[in-house]
Coordinates of all heavy atoms in Angstrom, one line a residue:
G1 N 8.9 1.1 9.0 CA 8.5 2.4 9.3 C 9.0 3.5 8.3 O 9.0 4.7 8.6
I2 N 9.5 3.0 7.2 CA 10.1 4.0 6.2 C 9.1 4.1 5.0 O 8.8 3.1 4.3 CB 11.4 3.5 5.7 CG1 12.4 3.4 6.9 CG2 12.0 4.4 4.6 CD1 13.7 2.6 6.6
D3 N 8.7 5.3 4.7 CA 8.0 5.7 3.5 C 8.9 6.6 2.7 O 9.0 7.8 3.0 CB 6.6 6.3 3.8 CG 5.9 6.8 2.5 OD1 6.2 6.2 1.4 OD2 5.2 7.8 2.6
K4 N 9.5 6.1 1.6 CA 10.4 6.9 0.8 C 9.7 8.1 0.1 O 10.4 9.1 -0.3 CB 11.2 6.1 -0.2 CG 10.3 5.5 -1.3 CD 11.1 4.7 -2.3 CE 10.3 4.3 -3.4 NZ 11.0 3.5 -4.5
N5 N 8.4 8.0 0.0 CA 7.6 9.1 -0.6 C 7.4 10.2 0.3 O 6.9 11.3 -0.1 CB 6.3 8.5 -1.2 CG 6.5 7.5 -2.2 OD1 7.5 7.4 -2.9 ND2 5.5 6.6 -2.4
L6 N 7.6 10.0 1.6 CA 7.4 11.0 2.6 C 6.0 11.5 2.8 O 5.7 12.6 3.3 CB 8.3 12.2 2.4 CG 9.8 11.9 2.2 CD1 10.6 13.2 2.0 CD2 10.4 11.2 3.5
E7 N 5.0 10.6 2.4 CA 3.6 10.9 2.6 C 3.1 10.6 4.0 O 2.2 11.2 4.5 CB 2.8 10.2 1.5 CG 3.0 10.7 0.1 CD 2.5 12.1 -0.1 OE1 1.4 12.5 0.4 OE2 3.3 12.9 -0.6
V8 N 3.7 9.6 4.6 CA 3.4 9.3 6.0 C 4.6 9.1 6.8 O 5.7 8.9 6.3 CB 2.6 8.0 6.1 CG1 1.3 8.0 5.2 CG2 3.4 6.8 5.6
T9 N 4.5 9.3 8.1 CA 5.7 9.3 9.0 C 5.9 7.9 9.6 O 5.0 7.1 9.6 CB 5.5 10.3 10.1 OG1 4.4 9.9 10.9 CG2 5.2 11.7 9.6
K10 N 7.1 7.8 10.1 CA 7.4 6.5 10.9 C 6.4 6.3 12.0 O 5.9 5.2 12.3 CB 8.8 6.5 11.3 CG 9.2 5.3 12.1 CD 10.7 5.3 12.5 CE 11.6 5.1 11.3 NZ 13.0 4.9 11.7
K11 N 6.1 7.4 12.7 CA 5.2 7.3 13.8 C 3.8 6.9 13.4 O 3.2 6.0 14.0 CB 5.1 8.7 14.5 CG 4.2 8.8 15.8 CD 4.3 10.1 16.4 CE 3.5 10.2 17.7 NZ 2.0 10.3 17.4
E12 N 3.3 7.4 12.3 CA 2.0 7.0 11.7 C 2.0 5.5 11.4 O 1.0 4.8 11.6 CB 1.7 7.8 10.5 CG 1.3 9.3 10.9 CD 1.0 10.1 9.7 OE1 1.8 10.0 8.7 OE2 0.0 10.9 9.6
L13 N 3.1 5.0 10.8 CA 3.2 3.6 10.4 C 3.2 2.7 11.6 O 2.5 1.7 11.7 CB 4.4 3.4 9.5 CG 4.3 3.8 8.1 CD1 5.6 3.8 7.4 CD2 3.3 2.9 7.3
Y14 N 3.9 3.1 12.6 CA 4.0 2.3 13.8 C 2.7 2.3 14.6 O 2.4 1.3 15.3 CB 5.2 2.7 14.7 CG 6.6 2.3 14.2 CD1 7.7 3.0 14.5 CD2 6.7 1.1 13.6 CE1 8.9 2.6 14.0 CE2 7.9 0.6 13.1 CZ 9.1 1.4 13.4 OH 10.3 1.0 12.9
E15 N 2.0 3.4 14.5 CA 0.7 3.5 15.3 C -0.4 2.8 14.6 O -1.5 2.6 15.1 CB 0.4 4.9 15.6 CG 1.3 5.6 16.6 CD 1.0 7.0 16.8 OE1 0.2 7.6 16.1 OE2 1.6 7.6 17.8
A16 N -0.2 2.4 13.3 CA -1.3 1.8 12.5 C -1.4 0.3 12.9 O -1.1 -0.6 12.1 CB -1.0 2.0 11.0
K17 N -1.9 0.0 14.0 CA -2.0 -1.4 14.5 C -3.0 -2.2 13.7 O -2.9 -3.5 13.8 CB -2.4 -1.4 16.0 CG -1.4 -0.6 16.9 CD 0.0 -1.1 16.8 CE 0.9 -0.3 17.7 NZ 2.4 -0.8 17.6
K18 N -4.0 -1.6 13.1 CA -5.0 -2.3 12.3 C -4.6 -2.5 10.9 O -5.4 -3.0 10.1 CB -6.3 -1.7 12.5 CG -6.9 -1.7 13.9 CD -8.3 -1.1 13.9 CE -8.9 -1.1 15.3 NZ -10.2 -0.5 15.4
L19 N -3.4 -2.1 10.5 CA -3.0 -2.2 9.1 C -2.0 -3.3 9.0 O -0.9 -3.4 9.6 CB -2.3 -0.9 8.6 CG -1.7 -0.9 7.2 CD1 -2.7 -1.2 6.2 CD2 -1.0 0.4 7.0
I20 N -2.4 -4.3 8.1 CA -1.5 -5.4 7.8 C -0.9 -5.2 6.4 O -1.6 -5.0 5.4 CB -2.3 -6.8 7.8 CG1 -2.9 -7.0 9.2 CG2 -1.3 -7.9 7.4 CD1 -3.8 -8.2 9.2
I21 N 0.5 -5.1 6.4 CA 1.2 -4.8 5.1 C 1.8 -6.1 4.6 O 2.5 -6.8 5.3 CB 2.3 -3.8 5.4 CG1 1.7 -2.4 5.8 CG2 3.1 -3.6 4.1 CD1 2.7 -1.4 6.2
T22 N 1.5 -6.5 3.4 CA 1.9 -7.8 2.8 C 2.0 -7.8 1.3 O 1.5 -6.9 0.6 CB 0.8 -8.8 3.2 OG1 1.3 -10.1 2.8 CG2 -0.5 -8.5 2.6
N23 N 2.8 -8.7 0.8 CA 2.8 -9.0 -0.6 C 2.3 -10.4 -0.9 O 2.5 -11.0 -2.0 CB 4.2 -8.8 -1.2 CG 5.2 -9.8 -0.5 OD1 5.0 -10.3 0.6 ND2 6.3 -10.0 -1.2
D24 N 1.7 -11.0 0.1 CA 1.1 -12.4 0.0 C -0.3 -12.3 -0.5 O -1.2 -11.8 0.2 CB 1.2 -13.1 1.3 CG 0.7 -14.5 1.3 OD1 0.3 -15.0 0.2 OD2 0.9 -15.2 2.3
I25 N -0.6 -12.7 -1.7 CA -1.9 -12.7 -2.3 C -2.9 -13.5 -1.5 O -4.1 -13.1 -1.3 CB -1.9 -13.2 -3.8 CG1 -1.1 -12.3 -4.6 CG2 -3.3 -13.3 -4.3 CD1 -0.9 -12.8 -6.0
Q26 N -2.5 -14.5 -0.9 CA -3.4 -15.4 -0.1 C -4.0 -14.7 1.1 O -5.2 -15.0 1.4 CB -2.6 -16.6 0.4 CG -2.0 -17.5 -0.7 CD -3.1 -18.0 -1.7 OE1 -4.2 -18.5 -1.3 NE2 -2.8 -17.9 -3.0
K27 N -3.3 -13.7 1.6 CA -3.9 -13.0 2.7 C -5.0 -12.0 2.3 O -5.8 -11.5 3.2 CB -2.8 -12.2 3.4 CG -1.8 -13.0 4.2 CD -0.8 -12.2 4.9 CE 0.2 -13.1 5.7 NZ 1.2 -12.3 6.5
L28 N -5.2 -11.8 1.0 CA -6.3 -11.0 0.6 C -7.6 -11.7 0.6 O -8.7 -11.0 0.5 CB -6.0 -10.5 -0.9 CG -4.7 -9.6 -1.0 CD1 -4.5 -9.3 -2.5 CD2 -4.9 -8.3 -0.3
K29 N -7.6 -13.0 0.7 CA -8.8 -13.8 0.5 C -9.8 -13.5 1.6 O -11.0 -13.8 1.4 CB -8.5 -15.3 0.5 CG -7.7 -15.7 -0.8 CD -7.5 -17.2 -0.8 CE -6.9 -17.7 -2.2 NZ -6.7 -19.1 -2.2
I30 N -9.4 -13.0 2.7 CA -10.4 -12.8 3.8 C -11.2 -11.5 3.5 O -12.2 -11.2 4.2 CB -9.7 -12.7 5.2 CG1 -8.8 -11.5 5.2 CG2 -9.0 -14.0 5.5 CD1 -8.2 -11.2 6.6
S31 N -10.7 -10.7 2.6 CA -11.4 -9.4 2.3 C -12.6 -9.6 1.4 O -12.7 -10.6 0.7 CB -10.4 -8.5 1.6 OG -9.2 -8.3 2.3
N32 N -13.5 -8.7 1.4 CA -14.6 -8.7 0.5 C -14.8 -7.3 -0.2 O -15.8 -7.1 -1.0 CB -15.9 -9.1 1.2 CG -16.3 -8.1 2.4 OD1 -15.7 -7.0 2.5 ND2 -17.1 -8.6 3.3
C33 N -13.9 -6.4 0.0 CA -13.9 -5.1 -0.6 C -12.5 -4.7 -1.0 O -11.6 -4.6 -0.1 CB -14.6 -4.1 0.2 SG -14.7 -2.4 -0.6
Y34 N -12.2 -4.6 -2.2 CA -10.8 -4.3 -2.7 C -10.7 -2.9 -3.3 O -11.5 -2.6 -4.3 CB -10.4 -5.4 -3.7 CG -10.5 -6.8 -3.2 CD1 -11.7 -7.5 -3.4 CD2 -9.5 -7.4 -2.5 CE1 -11.9 -8.8 -3.0 CE2 -9.6 -8.7 -2.1 CZ -10.8 -9.4 -2.3 OH -11.0 -10.7 -1.8
I35 N -9.8 -2.1 -2.8 CA -9.6 -0.8 -3.3 C -8.3 -0.8 -4.2 O -7.3 -1.0 -3.6 CB -9.6 0.3 -2.2 CG1 -10.9 0.3 -1.5 CG2 -9.3 1.7 -2.9 CD1 -10.9 1.3 -0.3
V36 N -8.4 -0.6 -5.5 CA -7.3 -0.6 -6.3 C -6.7 0.8 -6.5 O -7.4 1.7 -7.0 CB -7.7 -1.2 -7.7 CG1 -6.4 -1.2 -8.7 CG2 -8.2 -2.7 -7.5
A37 N -5.5 1.0 -6.1 CA -4.8 2.3 -6.2 C -3.4 2.2 -6.7 O -2.4 2.5 -6.1 CB -4.8 2.9 -4.8
V38 N -3.3 1.8 -8.0 CA -2.1 1.6 -8.6 C -1.8 2.7 -9.6 O -2.8 3.3 -10.1 CB -2.0 0.2 -9.3 CG1 -2.0 -0.9 -8.3 CG2 -3.0 0.1 -10.4
P39 N -0.6 3.0 -10.0 CA -0.3 4.1 -11.0 C -0.9 3.8 -12.3 O -0.9 2.6 -12.8 CB 1.2 4.1 -11.0 CG 1.7 3.4 -9.7 CD 0.7 2.4 -9.5
T40 N -1.3 4.8 -13.0 CA -1.7 4.7 -14.4 C -1.0 5.8 -15.2 O -1.5 6.9 -15.5 CB -3.2 4.9 -14.5 OG1 -3.7 6.1 -13.8 CG2 -4.0 3.7 -14.1
P41 N 0.2 5.5 -15.6 CA 1.1 6.5 -16.3 C 0.7 6.5 -17.8 O -0.2 5.9 -18.3 CB 2.5 6.0 -16.1 CG 2.3 4.5 -16.0 CD 1.0 4.3 -15.3
I42 N 1.5 7.3 -18.6 CA 1.5 7.2 -20.0 C 2.8 6.7 -20.5 O 3.8 6.8 -19.8 CB 1.2 8.6 -20.7 CG1 2.2 9.6 -20.1 CG2 -0.2 9.0 -20.4 CD1 2.1 11.0 -20.8
D43 N 2.9 6.1 -21.8 CA 4.1 5.6 -22.3 C 4.8 6.7 -23.1 O 4.4 7.9 -23.1 CB 3.9 4.4 -23.2 CG 3.0 4.7 -24.4 OD1 2.9 5.8 -24.8 OD2 2.5 3.7 -25.0
K44 N 5.9 6.4 -23.7 CA 6.7 7.4 -24.4 C 6.0 8.1 -25.6 O 6.4 9.1 -26.0 CB 8.0 6.8 -24.9 CG 7.8 5.7 -25.9 CD 9.2 5.1 -26.4 CE 9.0 4.0 -27.4 NZ 10.3 3.4 -27.8
N45 N 4.9 7.4 -26.0 CA 4.1 8.0 -27.1 C 2.9 8.7 -26.6 O 2.0 9.0 -27.4 CB 3.7 6.8 -28.1 CG 4.9 6.2 -28.7 OD1 5.8 6.8 -29.2 ND2 4.9 4.8 -28.7
K46 N 2.8 9.0 -25.3 CA 1.7 9.7 -24.7 C 0.4 8.9 -24.7 O -0.7 9.5 -24.7 CB 1.5 11.1 -25.3 CG 2.8 11.9 -25.6 CD 3.4 12.3 -24.3 CE 4.6 13.2 -24.6 NZ 5.4 13.6 -23.4

C-alpha cells in the first residue's frame, strides 16, 4: 500500500481489487493489450 511517488494513496491501492501487481512476466501472457508506460529520459549529453 505504499507509493513513494505519492501519486496514489494507500486506500486507493487497497481498494483496487481488480489490479494484480507483479514482476512475473509469465502472468502477462493472459493479456492481449499491453500499455507501455516506462520512463524515457535523456543522457548526460542530452
Side-chain angles (χ1 to χ4, degrees):
I2 300 168
D3 174 27
K4 67 177 184 179
N5 299 333
L6 304 181
E7 289 298 310
V8 303
T9 65
K10 180 176 286 190
K11 183 173 182 287
E12 287 175 316
L13 282 168
Y14 281 149
E15 289 178 351
K17 303 301 183 182
K18 293 182 179 180
L19 175 61
I20 299 171
I21 297 171
T22 184
N23 63 338
D24 185 355
I25 296 174
Q26 298 305 313
K27 289 186 177 180
L28 296 174
K29 289 183 175 180
I30 64 170
S31 304
N32 58 18
C33 182
Y34 305 91
I35 300 178
V36 177
V38 297
T40 46
I42 53 174
D43 64 19
K44 62 181 181 180
N45 298 314
K46 314 295 187 185

